Amino acid sequence: MSHKYNPKEIEPKWQHRWEESECFKATEDTTMPKYYCLEMYPYPSASLHMGHLRNYAIGDSIARYKRLNGFNVLYPMGYDAFGLPAENAAIKQKIDPEGWTRSNIEAIKHQQQEMGLSYDWSRQIQSLDENYYKWNQWIFLKFYEKGLTYREKAVINWCPDCNTVLANEQVINNRCWRCSSIVELRELEQWFFRIRDYADELLTSLDDLGWPESVKTMQRNWIGRSEGTIINFNIANSGETIPIFTTRPDTVFGVTFMVFAPEHPLIKNWVEGTKYQAPFETFLAGVQKEDKFQRTAADKEKKGMFIGKYAINPLTNDEIPVYVGNFVIYEYGAGAVMAVPAHDQRDFEFAREHDLPVKVVIRPGNTSLSPDEMTEAYIEDGILVNSGEFDGLDNHEAIVKISRKLEEIKLGKSTVNYKLRDWLISRQRYWGTPIPIIHCDKCGTVPVSIEDLPVKLPGDVEFTGSGNPLATSSSFINTICPECGAPAHRETDTMDTFVDSSWYFFKYCSPFSEQVPFDKEPVSYWMPVDQYIGGIEHAILHLLYARFFTKALRDIGLSGIDEPFSRLLCQGMVNKEAPYCELCNRFLPPEDYEGSSCSACGNEYKLKSAKMSKSLGNVVDPRILMDNYGADASRFFILFGSNPERELEWSNAGIESVYKSLEKSFHLLIEMPGSVKDTIDTRDNYIKFITHKSIRDATYNFEELKLKDAITHIMILVDELSTYSKMPVNKDIYNEARMTAAVLLSPVIPHLCEEVWELTGHDDFIIRARWPICDETVVNEMNEFKWNLLSDLSDDIREIIKVARITSQKRIRIYSAAGWKFRLAGLFKQEFAKTKDRGQIMKTLMSTDLKRYGKQVNQILGKYLNDPSLAPYVDMGLDGEFSFLNEAALILESGFNCTIEFYKEEDSHEKKAAGALPGRPAIIID
């Protein structure tokens, strides 16, 4: 019976059967090894993009592979459903953010199901559900009890016209994204988590994680541990003291000015009503247009201005001018730096630009430095000068003694500092988790009782675009103080949505827990996540917050887990060609080009690879892809395009080719060849070898997450099977090969393989089969060498035919090397392991009976020394090689459609035969 490959029928059929039989439902089973596979908590946009398709295809393939290997797999899905897009939609479209979000969840879930993803949907969660965000509030209160939650003033972006706080991404060129008003910086009371309390553990435990080194480096840099000294600088005539952290207290006598971040809240107060106010406001507006972190780059212009204030150097009592500068960031340290221009290049450049004094306090050995003649800062070690009682000290010794002196006079101390700031979780928005705090005029800040959770989001709010929508709900705001019973009001801030994604992986382990966020027993079974998958853009904040939550939840007794994710994979971007104008040096969105020319300059554009984006018009809609070619072809194409951590280049032609290949493979795997035999010859043995070699190589590459490479090895088996099927096959060997191919391919193209499994007489799902095991008696060093020898020989024959432009070969003669060459190869390997000296090796060779072949030995030795891999790593001997090649004649004859003859070099008078080497026979084509 003929069966047609029809994805539109096959794929829904198997998706329905998987769901009906609960194939992917996970339960704790201590008799089985567990495997927890997880993709990063996705935001439910209205539709999937190609990055989603790649992410999910990777995760699903890994989960299916692990199930086939006998693991009890947890592979869940849920949705990070709070956030700004829904609130913006509510403001713009006057719609309910919950309805908008739930509609998106249903749409994206449907697309995920159409992909055939093997999620345990019974564990689905979404952070907008009251029984999820209730636990955000529970955790907040437990952190509050432990002292990990606090409230203090912090600087925020404020739009005066919209009367609302703006997230950083809502500020565009220092203007509000909604009304284009100039954004102001204001201080508001904000809620924080004390992530800095865990800074040292977050840093040290990175070493044990199986994460990409680049990600661990980013986290280390973000945490930013450094040992140094806090030096307290009093601000003259203000009563303010600014604690400055420095790793170079040895340079404190050389401080000639101080620089504050323009955003520092003290600056606004200091300049208000002075002649410096207007120029400062102009300066601040300009700085805020710069990228906050790019402006600190070494090659960035150092801009600044004096603000009329002076600080007091605690060791010299000198008054030093206070500046603001674009290269200082408020979020780092105290938001201010002591400037030592003689010994810091950035400070040196700023001092020269603003005509500020340069004071040398460290000289190199016995060499003096003249401030007026310096062209750059001296930043090396040296001896202290102009430093009072510390003159003459080595600067490393001075670091210790100056720090001790500052501590004695109570103007500083040695400390460990971190760049990492505490986590500001307050958001002045509606669509998030309400912070469970009540404000009472009598009792102050009062936490909501655990029994009264959740504090629910109200429905009677107004989305005007001005202010916090929660503040429009009197039913939400007005409440009773739980301590004194007096009228009080609720906190109107909601939590940063990073809170939702900082513990969701625990909730999947215990989705139905009612007394606590999750139960210990299932968490101790499933956690940590064995494989976490997501984009590099989350390498810092999300991963850092998730790690902090894991450690803090451990410390309040919820789990015994130290780290959430054992292994991390950051998949590469999906790219596609887009128009690029070399003259304008930019990619062109559709509205910026006409025909083949750039609209701005008229130059002919070129096509250049770029990340898929709607703005460039180079996106490919996964729904169209799956509608036209099916989920399996889409999955195969995106996994076969490149290994997961690499970027993927899109090709429209590629998907067509993949579909045709799958159609061909489907028929190959379900149909038995017409000619079957009981005997076994070399061709049959070769297929058995390729079968087990494919098992070994695919297994290795799946374990290493090299999915493209795994597919490559499996398709080699499929291609060899296709060639094998055209001749008489051994039934058992053929069946083993095709069933092996089906199982190996099933993590990648599960629907097709399930159909093949059923059509070839299997009663159960292929997902319940077992991953095949490589037979090491079939794939051993000797067999691998032999079959590689045959493969290399075939490649050499094809190359000769191509170069010589032979259109129809009648006979191919193959010559195995003389016996003495095999002895030479063996001796060479033995001596080469001892020494690489040509003379010494030649001397040893000439001390044997090989001396009679001296000239030839010298020539072959030169070849082996130039490329040691030419010497065969397995010693078959002349008789072994000659016998194997004769046995393989059938394969070569069918491949080249001509007579194949084998000879030994020592029995031949052909000059070309003398070029034969062990493992590299000579070839003559007639």
Side-chain angles (χ1 to χ4, degrees):
M1 179 181 177
S2 177
H3 295 274
K4 184 181 179 183
Y5 176 57
N6 186 347
K8 290 185 183 296
E9 292 181 2
I10 291 172
E11 291 175 358
K13 165 187 168 180
W14 288 106
Q15 289 162 15
H16 174 71
R17 288 193 186 179
W18 292 331
E19 181 180 4
E20 193 175 54
S21 64
E22 296 185 334
C23 273
F24 311 123
K25 190 170 183 177
T27 56
E28 294 78 49
D29 184 347
T30 56
T31 65
M32 296 175 68
K34 70 91 181 178
Y35 193 84
Y36 188 175
C37 182
L38 185 64
E39 294 117 10
M40 290 183 182
Y41 205 29
Y43 182 80
S45 51
S47 61
L48 294 178
H49 56 66
M50 202 55 68
H52 287 130
L53 179 63
R54 188 180 195 197
N55 193 24
Y56 302 145
I58 292 167
D60 188 61
S61 296
I62 295 168
R64 288 177 179 273
Y65 166 75
K66 287 296 181 179
R67 290 191 188 98
L68 290 165
N69 277 276
F71 284 84
N72 186 22
V73 173
L74 173 59
Y75 183 44
M77 175 49 61
Y79 303 96
D80 193 5
F82 279 138
L84 205 51
E87 188 150 339
N88 289 342
I91 293 168
K92 291 179 180 178
Q93 303 173 36
K94 305 300 180 187
I95 59 174
D96 172 30
E98 180 175 351
W100 185 84
T101 305
R102 290 194 184 278
S103 174
N104 285 354
I105 288 173
E106 288 306 309
I108 195 172
K109 179 177 178 179
H110 178 70
Q111 292 170 62
Q112 289 171 318
Q113 290 172 323
E114 286 185 326
M115 282 182 66
L117 303 174
S118 59
Y119 295 132
D120 178 357
W121 287 109
S122 71
R123 294 173 183 259
Q124 178 183 336
I125 58 175
Q126 45 263 336
S127 44
L128 59 78
D129 288 341
E130 290 173 5
N131 63 0
Y132 186 86
Y133 72 71
K134 165 187 177 178
W135 300 116
N136 285 347
Q137 296 169 342
W138 187 96
I139 292 168
F140 177 96
L141 294 174
K142 291 297 180 181
F143 284 5
Y144 188 82
E145 289 175 12
K146 193 172 174 59
L148 290 174
T149 304
Y150 68 95
R151 191 177 188 231
E152 73 175 20
K153 286 187 175 182
V155 176
I156 49 85
N157 301 309
W158 178 264
C159 175
D161 287 350
C162 295
N163 191 34
T164 189
V165 174
L166 301 177
N168 287 335
E169 60 268 26
Q170 294 176 307
V171 179
I172 302 171
N173 293 328
N174 199 40
R175 291 182 179 272
C176 172
W177 69 283
R178 189 183 297 119
C179 71
S180 296
S181 298
I182 296 291
V183 172
E184 299 175 359
L185 293 178
R186 288 193 181 181
E187 273 195 309
L188 286 183
E189 293 282 354
Q190 306 276 279
W191 288 97
F192 292 83
F193 285 149
R194 295 188 190 275
I195 190 173
R196 277 173 63 91
D197 286 6
Y198 287 83
D200 203 52
E201 187 184 354
L202 287 167
L203 189 64
T204 56
S205 57
L206 278 169
D207 297 338
D208 300 324
L209 296 178
W211 291 13
E213 198 55 44
S214 60
V215 174
K216 292 199 281 189
T217 298
M218 282 190 272
Q219 292 229 337
R220 288 188 187 104
N221 291 342
W222 190 263
I223 295 167
R225 185 184 191 276
S226 52
E227 295 181 4
T229 303
I230 293 287
I231 304 178
N232 293 324
F233 285 80
N234 294 321
I235 303 299
N237 305 316
S238 76
E240 299 279 358
T241 297
I242 307 298
I244 301 295
F245 174 81
T246 178
T247 59
R248 297 295 306 275
D250 53 323
T251 64
V252 67
F253 285 86
V255 176
T256 59
F257 59 98
M258 182 176 283
V259 186
F260 278 73
E263 301 93 340
H264 199 296
L266 286 175
I267 305 299
K268 185 177 180 182
N269 296 333
W270 288 346
V271 300
E272 192 170 9
T274 72
K275 65 179 182 179
Y276 302 102
Q277 181 175 356
F280 166 73
E281 289 173 351
T282 301
F283 178 76
L284 175 64
V287 169
Q288 286 181 322
K289 294 177 183 178
E290 300 180 51
D291 180 90
K292 187 173 290 187
F293 297 103
Q294 285 184 3
R295 77 189 207 207
T296 65
D299 59 351
K300 195 76 174 175
E301 182 186 357
K302 310 300 182 290
K303 301 175 185 176
M305 63 167 284
F306 177 58
I307 59 165
K309 284 286 183 181
Y310 292 86
I312 309 299
N313 187 315
L315 291 186
T316 67
N317 287 320
D318 292 341
E319 285 196 352
I320 55 175
V322 173
Y323 279 70
V324 289
N326 65 334
F327 57 90
V328 181
I329 303 297
Y330 176 62
E331 287 79 2
Y332 283 179
V337 297
M338 64 179 213
V340 187
H343 305 292
D344 182 280
Q345 185 61 28
R346 179 191 60 186
D347 298 344
F348 181 85
E349 293 171 10
F350 191 88
R352 289 293 193 236
E353 179 70 26
H354 295 274
D355 198 25
L356 291 163
V358 175
K359 181 181 178 183
V360 174
V361 291
I362 296 177
R363 60 175 169 78
N366 294 320
T367 306
S368 62
L369 294 174
S370 170
D372 294 336
E373 296 176 3
M374 292 176 71
T375 58
E376 61 182 5
Y378 176 73
I379 59 174
E380 306 300 330
D381 292 337
I383 306 300
L384 263 66
V385 294
N386 302 319
S387 299
E389 64 189 271
F390 303 100
D391 280 357
L393 290 179
D394 169 87
N395 69 293
H396 289 284
E397 184 182 0
I399 287 174
V400 176
K401 291 192 172 182
I402 289 176
S403 297
R404 191 178 300 146
K405 173 76 171 182
L406 288 164
E407 199 151 356
E408 287 172 2
I409 62 176
K410 300 188 180 342
L411 287 173
K413 63 178 180 178
S414 297
T415 188
V416 173
N417 191 55
Y418 297 93
K419 286 184 181 178
L420 178 65
R421 303 266 66 82
D422 278 340
W423 176 7
L424 192 161
I425 67 161
S426 284
R427 296 294 181 269
Q428 291 71 34
R429 304 177 195 154
Y430 168 79
W431 196 232
T433 299
I435 291 178
I437 290 291
I438 292 170
H439 299 288
C440 173
D441 290 341
K442 180 180 177 182
C443 304
T445 299
V446 182
V448 172
S449 171
I450 292 284
E451 292 73 28
D452 292 334
L453 298 181
V455 176
K456 298 179 182 180
L457 284 168
D460 59 337
V461 295
E462 297 177 20
F463 295 100
T464 63
S466 176
N468 183 345
L470 273 180
T472 68
S473 171
S474 58
S475 66
F476 177 81
I477 292 175
N478 298 322
T479 187
I480 300 297
C481 174
E483 291 190 359
C484 70
H489 65 276
R490 291 192 188 278
E491 173 66 66
T492 56
D493 284 359
T494 54
M495 296 185 201
D496 180 4
T497 54
F498 272 124
V499 172
D500 308 323
S501 58
S502 291
W503 69 279
Y504 75 106
F505 38 87
F506 282 108
K507 192 61 176 170
Y508 282 138
C509 302
S510 178
F512 310 112
S513 175
E514 295 182 356
Q515 302 304 314
V516 287
F518 48 82
D519 293 321
K520 265 188 176 181
E521 190 174 343
V523 162
S524 65
Y525 176 78
W526 289 115
M527 286 292 290
V529 174
D530 295 281
Q531 183 62 63
Y532 200 42
I533 306 162
I536 193 71
E537 65 272 20
H538 301 296
I540 298 178
L541 293 183
H542 163 59
L543 293 175
L544 197 64
Y545 293 154
R547 295 180 63 224
F548 159 65
F549 253 63
T550 299
K551 296 174 189 303
L553 293 174
R554 173 201 64 197
D555 291 348
I556 63 173
L558 271 185
S559 84
I561 305 300
D562 295 323
E563 286 287 345
F565 315 120
S566 297
R567 198 177 182 192
L568 174 69
L569 170 66
C570 295
Q571 86 274 8
M573 299 293 186
V574 182
N575 299 334
K576 188 174 184 285
E577 287 185 332
Y580 179 81
C581 178
E582 291 183 332
L583 200 61
C584 296
N585 192 30
R586 68 185 184 99
F587 285 98
L588 305 176
E591 62 271 17
D592 285 358
Y593 65 87
E594 188 172 345
S596 60
S597 300
C598 170
S599 300
C601 67
N603 186 48
E604 185 174 344
Y605 65 73
K606 294 184 177 181
L607 291 177
K608 191 174 178 180
S609 178
K611 176 188 172 183
M612 282 190 182
S613 70
K614 290 181 181 178
S615 62
L616 290 180
N618 66 336
V619 296
V620 177
D621 189 338
R623 290 174 298 183
I624 297 174
L625 197 68
M626 291 193 289
D627 286 346
N628 291 340
Y629 303 103
D632 279 347
S634 304
R635 290 166 59 118
F636 187 100
F637 175 77
I638 209 157
L639 292 174
F640 195 43
S642 70
N643 279 319
E645 74 282 1
R646 309 285 296 179
E647 292 187 341
L648 172 67
E649 295 296 332
W650 183 266
S651 161
N652 289 331
I655 186 65
E656 287 276 359
S657 175
V658 163
Y659 181 83
K660 291 175 183 176
S661 175
L662 294 191
E663 188 174 33
K664 178 182 173 183
S665 299
F666 175 75
H667 291 293
L668 174 69
L669 296 177
I670 65 171
E671 296 167 3
M672 198 68 185
S675 182
V676 178
K677 60 176 182 167
D678 295 325
T679 57
I680 296 177
D681 57 27
T682 308
R683 162 59 75 175
D684 305 309
N685 285 333
Y686 175 65
I687 292 300
K688 191 172 186 69
F689 170 79
I690 287 294
T691 299
H692 285 270
K693 183 176 182 295
S694 296
I695 294 170
R696 184 197 67 184
D697 294 343
T699 302
Y700 171 80
N701 284 293
F702 263 108
E703 290 293 336
E704 295 297 312
L705 306 185
K706 305 294 184 185
L707 303 185
K708 176 190 187 307
D709 297 344
I711 297 169
T712 297
H713 289 295
I714 301 167
M715 293 312 291
I716 289 172
L717 171 59
V718 172
D719 290 344
E720 292 290 352
L721 199 56
S722 178
T723 302
Y724 183 46
S725 69
K726 296 177 175 61
M727 55 190 69
V729 303
N730 178 278
K731 182 178 179 180
D732 292 339
I733 290 175
Y734 186 85
N735 276 335
E736 180 192 22
R738 66 173 175 152
M739 292 305 98
T740 296
V743 175
L744 297 183
L745 279 170
S746 65
V748 180
I749 47 173
H751 309 88
L752 182 151
C753 293
E754 288 283 12
E755 189 75 4
V756 166
W757 203 244
E758 182 182 60
L759 292 174
T760 50
H762 296 86
D763 295 328
D764 206 349
F765 295 101
I766 199 170
I767 192 59
R768 290 178 179 156
R770 280 291 167 261
W771 189 262
I773 296 172
C774 172
D775 186 340
E776 294 181 1
T777 65
V778 174
V779 183
N780 54 37
E781 191 174 53
M782 176 60 79
N783 283 346
E784 190 150 17
F785 178 81
K786 289 195 305 187
W787 294 116
N788 285 341
L789 165 64
L790 183 64
S791 176
D792 291 343
L793 180 62
S794 299
D795 289 343
D796 290 344
I797 293 171
R798 291 188 191 95
E799 185 64 19
I800 293 170
I801 290 171
K802 179 182 176 181
V803 172
R805 297 182 179 179
I806 298 172
T807 56
S808 179
Q809 60 276 6
K810 296 178 181 177
R811 179 178 65 162
I812 299 175
R813 287 176 283 162
I814 296 171
Y815 297 85
S816 289
W820 67 266
K821 292 182 180 179
F822 284 84
R823 296 197 301 279
L824 166 61
L827 272 172
F828 167 77
K829 287 188 295 178
Q830 180 180 309
E831 294 304 310
F832 189 71
K834 300 175 186 176
T835 178
K836 306 299 183 284
D837 183 82
R838 178 170 183 156
Q840 186 61 43
I841 297 174
M842 188 66 181
K843 182 179 179 181
T844 301
L845 295 175
M846 290 298 96
S847 68
T848 70
D849 62 351
L850 294 173
K851 184 175 182 179
R852 60 185 292 199
Y853 307 104
K855 184 176 180 181
Q856 291 169 279
V857 168
N858 191 42
Q859 290 173 341
I860 294 172
L861 177 59
K863 291 180 180 180
Y864 282 170
L865 287 170
N866 285 334
D867 183 2
S869 68
L870 288 175
Y873 60 87
V874 171
D875 184 10
M876 291 184 71
L878 170 58
D879 291 340
E881 179 179 302
F882 188 72
S883 173
F884 169 71
L885 290 176
N886 274 277
E887 291 169 4
L890 180 67
I891 298 175
L892 292 171
E893 286 176 351
S894 64
F896 294 101
N897 197 29
C898 67
T899 300
I900 308 289
E901 296 177 357
F902 298 95
Y903 302 93
K904 295 179 180 179
E905 175 192 347
E906 49 205 13
D907 296 335
S908 171
H909 298 294
E910 285 282 355
K911 287 184 178 181
K912 288 185 178 180
L917 291 173
R920 296 179 179 273
I923 302 165
I924 299 176
I925 302 178
D926 302 319

